[in-house]
Amino acid sequence: MQNPSETDRAFSHARDFDPMPFEIDFTGYMSNTVVVRWMEMLRVQMMRRYFSEIDTGSWEHLSVVTRTEIHYANPVRYGELIRGTTWVEDIGRARWRVGFAFQNTFQRNLAISARQDGTFLNPESLRPVRVPEIIRKRFFALTHAVA
């Protein structure tokens, strides 16, 4: 999984995570289930920051994750500070892709890289619909801007 440079990351959003003792499994490393929760926190915060008019909790903007891919590059342990970053990798007609990177701020190494694919659904039929126009327009304008 490729990690683009900061300048290639559309709608980048970051926050720090401090793994708690209850998030560490019997091996002494962070439980795999924690990563998915952190990804969701980052993705929802990114949507609120860059697309506040899209209410991610409303029925008419129903969006689901259809695929999650996680690469564990280095272990995460209790007491480490992890900087999580998310960004929009791609927007299609009815599909979106969001990338993630989790870096250990003490060791300055990449701990985890990940991505999620998803789609918006019609609230009545639960069938995929086009990504909201405002999201597609902003993504296209940002990624196709003339330097």
Side-chain angles (χ1 to χ4, degrees), residues 21-133:
F22 59 85
E23 296 173 322
I24 306 303
D25 66 19
F26 71 94
T27 65
Y29 299 112
M30 187 175 71
S31 171
N32 296 335
T33 60
V34 176
V35 177
V36 175
R37 184 168 42 87
W38 286 2
M39 291 167 64
E40 285 298 290
M41 292 169 72
L42 281 167
R43 186 175 58 83
V44 168
Q45 290 171 346
M46 178 191 60
M47 284 295 293
R48 288 178 180 158
R49 178 177 178 187
Y50 292 106
F51 305 102
S52 60
E53 61 278 8
I54 303 292
D55 180 0
T56 55
S58 73
W59 189 242
E60 66 269 12
H61 294 131
L62 181 61
S63 179
V64 296
V65 174
T66 58
R67 178 186 171 126
T68 299
E69 181 180 331
I70 302 172
H71 173 71
Y72 298 93
N74 290 290
V76 174
R77 297 175 182 89
Y78 174 67
E80 296 177 335
L81 184 63
I82 305 299
R83 166 59 58 127
T85 306
T86 189
W87 61 92
V88 176
E89 286 187 359
D90 189 38
I91 298 287
R93 289 179 50 134
R95 181 192 55 80
W96 50 263
R97 173 170 285 160
V98 177
F100 300 87
F102 295 91
Q103 182 174 359
N104 185 315
T105 61
F106 299 139
Q107 298 173 10
R108 301 210 181 274
N109 63 4
L110 181 68
I112 301 162
S113 60
R115 67 170 42 133
Q116 286 182 331
D117 292 347
T119 189
F120 284 86
L121 299 177
N122 177 298
E124 293 175 11
S125 69
L126 299 180
R127 307 226 356 120
V129 296
R130 290 182 69 122
V131 172
E133 186 73 19

